[in-house]
Amino acid sequence: MKNAAQLKQIKAAVIQINSGDDKEKNFARAKSLIHEASSRGATVIALPETFSWRGSREYIFKNAEPIPGPTTEKLSRLASLCNIYLLAGSIV
C-alpha cells in the first residue's frame, strides 16, 4: 500500500448544465465550462447525462447520433487540447 507521500493528487470537476433542444448551444456551454474547469486545474471532468441534447421524445431519433460521431469527436479533440480526462455523460 502506498503512503500519502506516494499518492498522486488530482483535481476533478463535475459540470451541471440545463440542456435544451439546441445541440450547438448545449455544446458551446459545455465547452466553455470545460475550459473553465481545466483552467482551474481540473484534470478529470464529468458532464451530465444528455448534456448534448434534451428535448421532446418525438424528436429523439432525429437528434440521435452514432458513437463515434460528431459530438464524441469534438469532445475528444477538446479533451486532448485541454489535456484532461473527460466523462461525457450520455449522448442521445
Side-chain angles (χ1 to χ4, degrees):
M1 182 173 184
K2 294 182 179 185
N3 64 37
Q6 295 172 311
L7 296 177
K8 180 180 177 184
Q9 292 187 1
I10 62 167
K11 186 180 274 192
V14 179
I15 293 174
Q16 184 63 40
I17 57 176
N18 190 13
S19 299
D21 60 4
D22 184 333
K23 276 185 167 182
E24 293 304 316
K25 183 178 175 182
N26 296 334
F27 187 83
R29 181 70 177 137
K31 180 179 176 181
S32 173
L33 292 170
I34 290 166
H35 277 293
E36 181 180 343
S38 175
S39 72
R40 292 180 180 207
T43 56
V44 176
I45 301 173
L47 294 169
E49 60 183 349
T50 65
F51 78 93
S52 66
W53 182 85
R54 188 173 176 113
S56 174
R57 292 193 89 140
E58 68 184 278
Y59 299 109
I60 199 165
F61 291 110
K62 177 182 174 194
N63 287 281
E65 59 184 78
I67 296 175
T71 298
T72 58
E73 289 175 9
K74 289 191 289 187
L75 290 172
S76 179
R77 286 192 299 273
L78 183 58
S80 181
L81 174 71
C82 294
N83 196 31
I84 60 168
Y85 294 98
L86 183 59
L87 174 61
S90 60
I91 298 169
V92 173

